[in-house]
Amino acid sequence: MSYFGTDGIRGQFGKMPITPDFILKLGYVTGRVLIENSDTPERKPSVVIGKDTRLSGYVIEGALQAGFNAAGVDVYMLGPLPTPAIAHLTRSFSADAGVVISASHNPYYDNGIKLFSADGKKLSDEMQNAINDKMQAIMNSTNNESLLMPIIDPANLGKNHRIDDAKGRYIEFCKGTFPYQYDLDHLTVVIDCANGAGYSVAPRVLRELGATVIAINNTPDGININENCGSTHPEVLQKAVLEYEADVGIALDGDGDRIVMVDEAGNLVDGDGILYVLATQSAQPVAGVAGTLMTNMGLELALKAAGIGFTRANVGDRYVMQELDANDWILGGEPSGHILCLDKSRTGDAIIAGLQILAVMKAQDKALSELTEGFEVLPQKLVNVRLTTMQDPFAHQELVTAFDSARATLEGRGRLLIRQSGTEPMIRVMVESDDEIECDVMANDLAKQIKTVLG
């Protein structure tokens, strides 16, 4: 089995694999893999560790730290920071790896581990597989565990360090991606921080660039992360933008790598809309855009009309990154708000993506609603079917027959996508059609059938 999903290791805290015992071993194993793959064996490897605002992050942080130290790896603690900040600081500190303790947009009782390579990108499949294989050997072993996790000479144990200026470093990095000839004076921005990792840095970036900032959901208490707020609940931001008569709204998710926006009229602009603006309205020409299987067909058609290439990747920003690398493109993302601007950052970064939209608004002196004119999305319905345990819907012939029938109905004018979540026991049913009523009915009917068959 693989402990890694589409975005690291994730689950409910206190249940495998998100237990202190497993996490300690994960730290040890990851440390040993770093040492074994080092080009400079005489140098002690180092990792940076950051986290979001969940209470369980304290426990996981301590377990990881102990595991890395026991393996002979130095640890630099960054504290609560967005996931992309850890990716940036991994490279900035010349660390051998970066670790994020977060379950992204999930509720507070979940948590997880994301790993970055030394260059600030998601860990390679080869390294991830090496870690997974060693973890399987340890977890499945009936022999003396010390043979698989040998104690090293105490003189070679790792040390711990805390980086006090991590926030400031990341804030300056974000500000540096905004065109120097512009500022955000005269713009009122509402930012929903999701009570997550961006609660401190995101408002500061905007204020230091001159915006009038109204921050909401920026008082984390360890359990209110993503609770009826942030990018998964944009209705909160939509209401606030209208209430404060703001120019624009920005919503982050719990770990600050997803963004959705709201225009001055309270209309939602999701990841597809953000990609449309950046691809068609930016001063810098864009050769192509990498989306995913979830990307609305309306974006594909709009980019085609503009003479801009488009390709679809599997769901997950690591797969979008692979498509961008393969095509030598710089822009890609997902409707959920993972936006990759590879000329600015090496991973999806909500704050940086938002700044690029604000830069286009300033450069063209246009409201966000004007920038999205002409972009029409096909009606789309997404229904999530939560299961007790993950099951494969394609293993049941009656469901396969229902899916085939739906695809035949939509042929030439829409799409059907059935996919298993990579982070939780859930089947996602997405129907896209030129008929909104058909979308709704078909998606809910298929979801009901899946629930009936899989329970």
Side-chain angles (χ1 to χ4, degrees), residues 40-244:
T40 54
E42 69 281 358
R43 182 182 65 86
K44 187 180 295 184
S46 65
V47 300
V48 299
I49 299 180
K51 60 182 180 179
D52 65 22
T53 56
R54 296 163 212 264
L55 278 176
S56 58
Y58 290 98
V59 179
I60 295 174
E61 184 180 51
L64 269 177
Q65 177 181 296
F68 277 119
N69 290 162
V73 174
D74 287 342
V75 175
Y76 291 83
M77 312 300 292
L78 305 178
L81 275 176
T83 289
I86 282 74
H88 166 67
L89 291 171
T90 299
R91 187 165 178 246
S92 176
F93 282 110
S94 298
D96 295 273
V99 185
V100 180
I101 302 167
S102 176
S104 188
H105 58 284
N106 287 26
Y108 79 92
Y109 47 77
D110 289 340
N111 217 325
I113 305 293
K114 303 180 187 181
L115 299 171
F116 289 96
S117 62
D119 61 2
K121 296 181 179 180
K122 292 290 178 69
L123 203 65
S124 69
D125 291 340
E126 292 76 17
M127 288 284 282
Q128 185 171 286
N129 291 339
I131 293 168
N132 194 74
D133 290 346
K134 285 182 178 290
M135 284 301 299
Q136 283 185 318
I138 290 174
M139 300 306 292
N140 296 334
S141 175
T142 57
N143 298 322
N144 188 336
E145 205 170 82
S146 64
L147 298 177
L148 295 169
M149 295 179 61
I151 300 298
I152 66 172
D153 187 321
N156 296 324
L157 294 172
K159 297 179 180 179
N160 295 321
H161 312 267
R162 184 160 295 277
I163 306 301
D164 295 325
D165 64 344
K167 287 184 179 180
R169 287 173 178 247
Y170 176 61
I171 288 169
E172 290 304 312
F173 170 65
C174 289
K175 288 162 57 181
T177 69
F178 191 80
Y180 72 93
Q181 66 267 39
Y182 301 122
D183 57 46
L184 298 179
D185 286 355
H186 312 301
L187 272 186
T188 298
V189 183
V190 180
I191 182 156
D192 185 340
C193 302
N195 290 315
Y199 79 97
S200 174
V201 295
R204 282 182 57 186
V205 169
L206 295 169
R207 287 195 183 101
E208 291 182 19
L209 286 171
T212 298
V213 179
I214 299 162
I216 61 175
N217 298 308
N218 62 325
T219 55
D221 62 10
I223 62 175
N224 61 359
I225 185 171
N226 299 314
E227 185 178 13
N228 299 317
C229 60
S231 62
T232 54
H233 295 277
E235 63 277 4
V236 178
L237 179 63
Q238 290 173 289
K239 181 179 178 181
V241 167
L242 294 176
E243 178 184 347
Y244 292 105

Side-chain angles (χ1 to χ4, degrees), residues 259-370:
I259 177 177
V260 298
M261 300 184 72
V262 171
D263 68 22
E264 76 285 356
N267 299 309
L268 179 65
V269 180
D270 68 2
D272 285 347
I274 292 170
L275 287 174
Y276 171 79
V277 172
L278 294 179
T280 64
Q281 309 290 324
S282 297
Q284 181 179 352
V286 173
V289 173
T292 74
L293 297 175
M294 299 297 289
T295 300
N296 192 280
M297 190 178 289
L299 177 61
E300 182 177 355
L301 296 174
L303 294 176
K304 182 179 180 180
I308 297 172
F310 178 79
T311 186
R312 293 182 186 272
N314 288 328
V315 175
D317 59 341
R318 71 185 294 118
Y319 303 113
V320 175
M321 175 71 80
Q322 290 172 4
E323 285 295 323
L324 292 176
D325 286 343
N327 289 281
D328 198 24
W329 293 346
I330 61 171
L331 181 63
E334 304 181 85
S336 61
H338 279 129
I339 305 296
L340 291 139
C341 304
L342 297 186
D343 58 331
K344 309 296 182 185
S345 177
R346 295 199 167 204
T347 189
D349 191 314
I351 297 174
I352 288 176
L355 289 178
Q356 306 321 301
I357 293 290
L358 296 178
V360 176
M361 290 172 60
K362 293 293 291 187
Q364 298 195 22
D365 193 24
K366 290 183 178 179
L368 182 55
S369 63
E370 295 177 281

Side-chain angles (χ1 to χ4, degrees), residues 434-448:
D434 55 7
D435 185 324
E436 187 171 1
I437 294 177
E438 180 182 49
C439 263
D440 188 77
V441 172
M442 184 180 288
N444 281 291
D445 282 350
L446 290 173
K448 184 177 180 180

